[in-house]
Amino acid sequence: MTHWSTRSLALVARQRGIAPTLSHSTVALILQGADLQPHRTRYWKTPTLDDTFRHQAAQVLWCYEQAQRLAHRGEVVLCVDEKPNIQVLQGEHPIRPMRSGRIERREFEYVRRGTVNLLVKLEVHSGLMRCWVLAKNDGACLRAVLPQLLEDHCDARRIHLIWDNGSSHIARQTRDWLSRHAPHVRMLFTPAHASWLNQAELLLRAFTERYLRRAEWASRDDFIDHLDASWPEYNRLFAHPFTWSWTRSKMHAWMDRHRS
């Protein structure tokens, strides 16, 4: 077995003679007393907790802690992230809407109408977002939209740009473009396997939950039109600064605890 339940544990225990009369309810009590949950699992990424992690994480967390103060000084903290290869799906049969006594129903069969690469930008101090569709999830397409990405902040004295270590972000051409066209941009990279330090991931989850789930599109163009209409509405109705409680002091304590 690759997945255990209280019933399967009780069955095997009886078959092996460990406890000939063991019931699944007794197994549940034993597991509860031992604080064990064999029916659950959770994935995580393991960052390398070294001095590089400490330095990079501290830089990012400093920006979150100071975002409001920096905004008052004419500086802005931006988080950028991609959601690549989103499948544009259309059901083969119409959705049956909910009615009294029945929930909405959908057929399993669907047709693929293509894929879309979504790029999002989060303004940390306000929670406002903007998104773009990239023809490909590569450095050339990213650099093509960087002028628009930075245009909203052309008056900023400095831009603190937070993103992960994606190949398009760390590419020499991207660094060179920013140094030539936007020398006031300070690039900050989240540590390896720690993209969860990027608040744009929170934005993508919130945006996906409200605007991408349970929807269908007849074509890729329809999906792009939907995105173009959705992010301004998100800004009007839902945008707010994310509550971020993991400070530098908590990060240092967490690292010291795990490294010991």
Side-chain angles (χ1 to χ4, degrees), residues 180-201:
R180 288 196 309 270
H181 300 282
H184 62 304
V185 173
R186 175 195 181 207
M187 283 195 295
L188 299 168
F189 298 95
T190 57
H193 303 302
S195 60
W196 38 268
L197 283 172
N198 188 347
Q199 286 193 12
E201 287 200 353

Side-chain angles (χ1 to χ4, degrees), residues 145-180:
V145 303
L146 279 179
Q148 296 179 46
L149 191 149
L150 301 174
E151 181 182 8
D152 295 336
H153 316 284
C154 57
D155 295 331
R157 293 172 51 198
R158 198 174 195 189
I159 296 175
H160 305 267
L161 178 60
I162 298 171
W163 51 17
D164 60 29
N165 292 275
S167 58
S168 60
H169 305 160
I170 64 175
R172 171 59 62 184
Q173 297 95 320
T174 302
R175 294 173 181 265
D176 290 344
W177 189 96
L178 286 169
S179 63
R180 288 196 309 270

Side-chain angles (χ1 to χ4, degrees), residues 42-256:
R42 182 169 62 187
Y43 291 94
W44 83 98
K45 290 182 178 180
T46 305
T48 302
L49 301 183
D50 55 12
D51 291 338
T52 299
F53 178 96
R54 191 188 294 271
H55 174 70
Q56 290 182 314
Q59 287 185 316
V60 171
L61 295 174
W62 178 87
C63 287
Y64 294 158
E65 294 171 24
Q66 303 296 323
Q68 298 295 333
R69 185 178 67 84
L70 290 170
H72 286 111
R73 284 175 31 184
E75 302 183 28
V76 63
V77 179
L78 303 179
C79 292
V80 172
D81 198 14
E82 293 92 355
K83 189 178 180 71
N85 300 317
I86 303 172
Q87 291 196 69
V88 182
L89 304 177
Q90 182 182 26
E92 288 191 349
H93 305 279
I95 298 173
R96 297 186 180 182
M98 69 174 180
R99 65 185 189 188
S100 180
R102 283 199 174 183
I103 63 172
E104 176 185 274
R105 289 173 294 165
R106 299 165 176 260
E107 290 281 358
F108 281 103
E109 290 82 6
Y110 57 84
V111 180
R112 293 183 176 92
R113 301 298 186 187
T115 60
V116 166
N117 300 295
L118 179 64
L119 175 77
V120 299
K121 176 193 73 174
L122 169 69
E123 188 179 83
V124 172
H125 75 273
S126 66
L128 294 173
M129 71 169 292
R130 187 173 177 181
C131 72
W132 295 265
V133 171
L134 305 181
K136 294 181 180 179
N137 187 33
D138 62 12
C141 293
L142 170 67
R143 290 187 291 275
V145 303
L146 279 179
Q148 296 179 46
L149 191 149
L150 301 174
E151 181 182 8
D152 295 336
H153 316 284
C154 57
D155 295 331
R157 293 172 51 198
R158 198 174 195 189
I159 296 175
H160 305 267
L161 178 60
I162 298 171
W163 51 17
D164 60 29
N165 292 275
S167 58
S168 60
H169 305 160
I170 64 175
R172 171 59 62 184
Q173 297 95 320
T174 302
R175 294 173 181 265
D176 290 344
W177 189 96
L178 286 169
S179 63
R180 288 196 309 270
H181 300 282
H184 62 304
V185 173
R186 175 195 181 207
M187 283 195 295
L188 299 168
F189 298 95
T190 57
H193 303 302
S195 60
W196 38 268
L197 283 172
N198 188 347
Q199 286 193 12
E201 287 200 353
L202 297 177
L203 170 65
L204 277 171
R205 287 202 293 269
F207 184 78
T208 298
E209 185 69 22
R210 291 185 171 96
Y211 290 98
L212 302 185
R213 283 191 64 193
R214 294 174 57 180
E216 297 182 352
W217 297 275
S219 69
R220 185 174 181 273
D221 289 339
D222 285 347
F223 180 71
I224 294 173
D225 290 342
H226 171 78
L227 289 174
D228 289 340
S230 294
W231 69 261
E233 181 179 284
Y234 175 91
N235 285 340
R236 291 195 305 271
L237 300 180
F238 304 112
H240 62 85
F242 286 102
T243 301
W244 188 271
S245 60
W246 210 54
T247 61
R248 284 172 295 164
S249 60
K250 290 182 179 179
M251 180 270 295
H252 290 309
W254 174 76
M255 276 197 65
D256 292 340

